[in-house]
Amino acid sequence: MCRVCVYKTNSNLSFSFAGANDVSMIQMADVGVGICGQEGRQAVMASDFAMGQFCFLKRLLLVHGHWNYQRVGYLVLYNFYRNAVFVLMLFWYVLCAAFSTISAVTDWSSVFYSVIYTSVPTIVVGILDKDLSHKTLLCYPKLYGAGYRQESYNLHLFWITMLDTLWQSLVLFYVPLFTYRNSSIDIWSMGSLWTISVVVLVNVHLAMDIRRWVLITHVATWGSIFITYMCMVIIDSIPIFPNYWTIYHLATSRTYWLTILLTTILALLPRFFCKVIHQIFWPSDIQIAREAEILRKGSDQVGLKPDHDINGRV
Amino acid sequence: MNNVNGSVVGSSSGSGDGSAPRRNSKRPKYSRFTQQELPACKPILTPKWVISVFTLIGVVFVPIGIASLMASNDVVEIVDRYDNVCVPPNMTNDKVAYIQNNETDKSCRRTLEVPKHMSQPIYVYYQLDNFYQNHRRYVKSRNDAQLRKHSQENETSGCDPEKRTKDGAPIVPCGLIAWSLFNDTYIFAIGNKNLTVNKKGISWKSDRDHKFGKDVLPKNFQSGPLIGGGKLDDTKPLSEQEDLIVWMRTAALPTFRKLYGRIEQDLNAGDVITVTLENNYNTYSFSGKKKLVLSTSSWLGGKNDFLGIAYLAVGGLCFFLAVAFTIVYLVKPRKLGDPSYLSWNRNPAGH
């Protein structure tokens, strides 16, 4: 019966029960939920999620299932973007270096990019970001349909993200190039500028999409940019590296700071513009529910009581 | 991420009576972090925010753009390409042969006119086009350990093909970067008075102090059959060979400038500078160009309109978008949080 349900509705089927003889059905389902209780723990051991009571199922699906989907969908797109923008930026440089696969970014920075410079905000957002409070989600079960309609991750979104990544990588590469063409800049200074630009850009991009700012999120996002600078200062203070002293030399130049600012704003402008247009003309259910929750606290029309959290600015 | 209310692990089967005290004892300890109820700020994109952001960007960017453009316009720059005209007329068909021949006369005279008043210091650069100092093989062709210390002069790994002489003696400094040292020279004069070019302090101080040793002397340099560029004074340590240090700071792009020196006096508009240059460096083999550049500098550096124009363009665009969105919000307002926009209220028949 489980298999028949899946084929007929073309959806993800989740099945929850208590019995020990239904273990095969749990394994068959896309998401198996087991209740631990009187009849033993076989169901629990075979399931993806296990709970104590049937009534928890509603929260599991509507609240945690929704949050999980939103977070995972966003994070997959963001991770594609974060890595592709860095690699594409390196690629455009190869076109300027007689196709000789030189990397202007130092080896250490290339390694640290994924590990230190941009990983912590990703993790923090993946754990803590919430689009709607649990009260709204329980009150309006139809909001769960966002997952059913694949609103957080679909092929269309993927290609839009890749197009945006292409634009951002072009801006990242060409703005410093045009600023410093016909000048006496050396390869490692250029690489240093590109490194810090990409880290700032990627973190500000994430900051534009974070829906719930907690102290830890601030520390992770802005702290990553600060840590990047610290790492670059440390790497550039070791005489055996070819990029010795580049950051000190660059940081005194006003052109350097202006270039970073211009790159960040120009790269994110189309994304911001599209976001605003989408929210004006084609608001999604989640967008409307968020607005209702944050801006119309306590209003009878939506019928929500204010959240525990400090409410957003109007 | 699998935050489920109530305990999951360790629940025992048994006489699951489900009495309230037993259920409460399984509940995990409440903490604001684990229950994700930390105080939070939830920004939302209201019309006010959208218009404010665009206006702010416009207000910040347009003055920066204007200031950058003005700074760039203040810079006076004289650029003179000389590699194509500094070849004697009877040898223009075979420039490579001319440049590679040691007997031919390489000196050349050029005249430059100063268009506007130039205040000191005036930077003298040589600009090379189509020279890929950023090619991977070239960038790696050096040995930093050898450059730093005399005791490491036998370290030549990575310097292929310019690492050792035929007898196996190490070349100091080894590698293609040093081997291809630029060696055109320039002498400036106004009328019959020479302009002194200060060639001290043209390289990075960090390079002079830590990357090029005070006890490292050139050895066996340019001694092979193929001469790639200039020769070095064997008696001066590498930390004082500033032309070499400047050249070894490999440029990022195929069209680049490197500092030759500084003229530390003002030049007036209308002055005619006579440049006596030695056209030694071979750029003819690869269709490269050589240019002599005299330039003042501003708080923004050299002459480059790009930053100014880009800032103005982005600032202007943002002002336009701010106005456009104001009109959109006035013409087609959407009440924020209005439940009638929810998809199941808009088409009650189902989606």
Side-chain angles (χ1 to χ4, degrees):
Chain A
M1 187 178 88
C2 176
R3 195 183 278 155
V4 165
C5 284
V6 168
Y7 286 159
K8 274 208 182 306
T9 62
N10 197 31
S11 57
N12 289 337
L13 182 70
S14 119
F15 224 94
S16 71
F17 43 75
N21 55 343
D22 298 319
V23 167
S24 52
M25 262 212 282
I26 292 189
Q27 288 165 341
M28 192 55 231
D30 291 311
V31 177
V33 181
I35 310 286
C36 34
Q38 274 177 301
E39 280 125 35
R41 298 193 57 212
Q42 279 140 316
V44 166
M45 287 190 286
S47 61
D48 301 308
F49 296 95
M51 318 186 287
Q53 299 178 23
F54 267 111
C55 64
F56 294 156
L57 186 65
K58 187 177 177 193
R59 266 190 94 84
L60 177 70
L61 278 181
L62 295 183
V63 176
H64 297 288
H66 174 92
W67 285 343
N68 195 19
Y69 174 69
Q70 293 289 325
R71 286 163 179 159
V72 170
Y74 177 70
L75 273 197
V76 168
L77 287 174
Y78 178 73
N79 273 302
F80 273 129
Y81 152 76
R82 179 172 64 107
N83 288 302
V85 84
F86 185 72
V87 170
L88 276 175
M89 181 187 75
L90 293 177
F91 175 70
W92 301 131
Y93 186 55
V94 165
L95 303 183
C96 269
F99 299 97
S100 70
T101 69
I102 182 80
S103 166
V105 175
T106 61
D107 296 335
W108 280 103
S109 275
S110 302
V111 167
F112 285 164
Y113 175 76
S114 288
V115 172
I116 298 182
Y117 299 170
T118 58
S119 64
V120 177
T122 314
I123 296 172
V124 166
V125 167
I127 296 176
L128 291 180
D129 202 31
K130 279 198 279 189
D131 52 346
L132 293 165
S133 74
H134 58 110
K135 289 193 172 72
T136 317
L137 289 170
L138 286 171
C139 225
Y140 287 87
K142 283 201 173 155
L143 287 170
Y144 191 69
Y148 181 78
R149 292 188 296 271
Q150 297 185 328
E151 279 177 16
S152 248
Y153 182 81
N154 52 58
L155 201 59
H156 177 73
L157 263 181
F158 173 78
W159 285 116
I160 299 269
T161 306
M162 285 295 109
L163 211 61
D164 182 34
T165 305
L166 186 68
W167 163 256
Q168 293 196 21
S169 71
L170 285 171
V171 167
L172 261 177
F173 176 72
Y174 278 107
V175 166
L177 190 93
F178 286 138
T179 308
Y180 283 102
R181 82 189 144 173
N182 287 351
S183 77
S184 56
I185 196 163
D186 63 297
I187 188 175
W188 307 114
S189 299
M190 209 55 167
S192 173
L193 174 57
W194 275 323
T195 308
I196 195 62
S197 297
V198 77
V199 169
V200 169
L201 176 65
V202 157
N203 282 322
V204 174
H205 175 119
L206 183 68
M208 253 174 45
D209 289 332
I210 294 177
R211 287 173 277 211
R212 200 163 166 276
W213 284 91
V214 186
L215 181 66
I216 304 171
T217 324
H218 279 291
V219 167
T221 314
W222 313 124
S224 284
I225 299 179
F226 178 72
I227 295 279
T228 307
Y229 266 112
M230 288 299 110
C231 283
M232 287 175 70
V233 164
I234 293 173
I235 296 175
D236 286 354
S237 304
I238 303 175
I240 51 171
F241 289 142
N243 50 306
Y244 178 64
W245 220 254
T246 48
I247 188 94
Y248 297 104
H249 209 75
L250 278 175
T252 53
S253 140
R254 289 180 192 88
T255 315
Y256 169 78
W257 298 104
L258 288 178
T259 310
I260 296 177
L261 177 64
L262 178 66
T263 311
T264 311
I265 300 290
L266 185 59
L268 291 174
L269 210 52
R271 188 183 173 82
F272 185 67
F273 177 75
C274 288
K275 207 172 149 106
V276 173
I277 292 284
H278 217 265
Q279 285 185 3
I280 297 177
F281 295 112
W282 303 284
S284 64
D285 290 342
I286 297 189
Q287 169 69 18
I288 296 169
R290 266 197 95 216
E291 287 167 4
E293 186 186 304
I294 298 171
L295 298 173
R296 290 148 143 259
K297 31 196 193 287
S299 144
D300 285 335
Q301 274 176 304
V302 187
L304 289 178
K305 291 205 199 75
D307 214 356
H308 285 292
D309 312 323
I310 293 169
N311 288 308
R313 336 179 258 270
V314 175
Chain B
M1 276 211 306
N2 301 337
N3 237 358
V4 184
N5 259 353
S7 152
V8 168
V9 185
S11 73
S12 59
S13 60
S15 62
D17 197 17
S19 56
R22 180 174 288 181
R23 211 186 312 137
N24 279 340
S25 71
K26 300 278 193 290
R27 187 186 286 266
K29 198 153 165 281
Y30 173 81
S31 107
R32 294 194 86 181
F33 177 68
T34 55
Q35 290 304 314
Q36 301 202 15
E37 285 170 2
L38 293 166
C41 179
K42 289 176 285 190
I44 195 133
L45 221 50
T46 57
K48 254 205 301 190
W49 271 105
V50 172
I51 297 172
S52 315
V53 165
F54 281 123
T55 314
L56 179 71
I57 298 177
V59 159
V60 168
F61 274 39
V62 168
I64 294 179
I66 295 177
S68 302
L69 260 186
M70 283 172 51
S72 178
N73 280 338
D74 281 344
V75 170
V76 187
E77 195 183 67
I78 308 170
V79 180
D80 176 48
R81 181 180 173 193
Y82 63 86
D83 64 304
N84 50 347
V85 294
C86 275
V87 183
N90 55 342
M91 304 205 79
T92 43
N93 293 336
D94 198 355
K95 298 191 178 120
V96 179
Y98 156 72
I99 202 87
Q100 286 180 339
N101 192 338
N102 280 337
E103 317 291 316
T104 50
D105 179 25
K106 305 279 191 339
S107 61
C108 180
R109 284 178 80 94
R110 302 283 299 150
T111 41
L112 309 170
E113 186 173 333
V114 179
K116 265 171 31 176
H117 175 83
M118 294 172 83
S119 39
Q120 59 106 355
I122 299 169
Y123 295 91
V124 180
Y125 297 97
Y126 53 89
Q127 178 173 323
L128 284 163
D129 285 14
N130 203 32
F131 191 112
Y132 284 85
Q133 267 205 330
N134 55 6
H135 192 286
R136 187 188 175 83
R137 182 125 188 247
Y138 186 89
V139 170
K140 294 210 171 302
S141 184
R142 63 192 285 162
N143 192 303
D144 287 327
Q146 187 199 61
L147 297 171
R148 246 196 313 274
K149 286 203 202 119
H150 177 72
S151 52
Q152 312 251 26
E153 69 174 20
N154 283 315
E155 297 288 331
T156 53
S157 67
C159 283
D160 264 338
E162 282 296 314
K163 51 201 260 193
R164 281 171 191 278
T165 59
K166 259 200 289 231
D167 312 323
I171 300 176
V172 179
C174 71
L176 287 173
I177 309 180
W179 175 80
S180 59
L181 175 64
F182 188 79
N183 59 348
D184 283 5
T185 53
Y186 312 101
I187 299 174
F188 299 90
I190 296 187
N192 46 10
K193 211 165 64 101
N194 266 2
L195 287 172
T196 37
V197 177
N198 183 359
K199 286 182 73 71
K200 290 250 168 297
I202 55 175
S203 54
W204 288 20
K205 186 162 187 308
S206 58
D207 280 354
R208 292 199 297 275
D209 291 345
H210 294 112
K211 282 191 99 73
F212 290 82
K214 295 186 175 58
D215 57 348
V216 183
L217 293 168
K219 214 162 102 164
N220 304 323
F221 190 65
Q222 302 283 18
S223 55
L226 286 172
I227 309 273
K231 295 205 170 11
L232 289 175
D233 185 349
D234 278 1
T235 56
K236 268 167 69 172
L238 289 189
S239 60
E240 288 171 32
Q241 309 251 20
E242 298 216 35
D243 281 324
L244 177 72
I245 299 177
V246 166
W247 181 254
M248 288 198 75
R249 193 142 263 291
T250 43
L253 301 166
T255 302
F256 61 88
R257 292 179 185 174
K258 288 199 179 288
L259 190 57
Y260 180 78
R262 286 187 205 90
I263 295 175
E264 275 154 352
Q265 62 182 88
D266 288 0
L267 294 177
N268 299 314
D271 280 351
V272 174
I273 306 175
T274 325
V275 184
T276 311
L277 58 93
E278 291 289 316
N279 184 17
N280 294 320
Y281 199 66
N282 180 9
T283 52
Y284 303 104
S285 307
F286 54 87
S287 327
K289 297 185 198 153
K290 291 192 283 188
K291 296 179 185 167
L292 176 63
V293 178
L294 274 83
S295 170
T296 54
S297 77
S298 66
W299 62 267
L300 209 55
K303 191 173 195 69
N304 196 332
D305 291 339
F306 172 74
L307 263 190
I309 296 175
Y311 267 92
L312 274 177
V314 173
L317 177 68
C318 285
F319 269 134
F320 167 73
L321 285 174
V323 170
F325 278 116
T326 315
I327 297 174
V328 165
Y329 284 124
L330 289 173
V331 161
K332 201 179 182 248
R334 173 174 74 81
K335 196 157 168 218
L336 293 173
D338 189 353
S340 59
Y341 281 93
L342 291 165
S343 59
W344 58 88
N345 289 336
R346 263 186 285 140
N347 19 338
H351 20 258

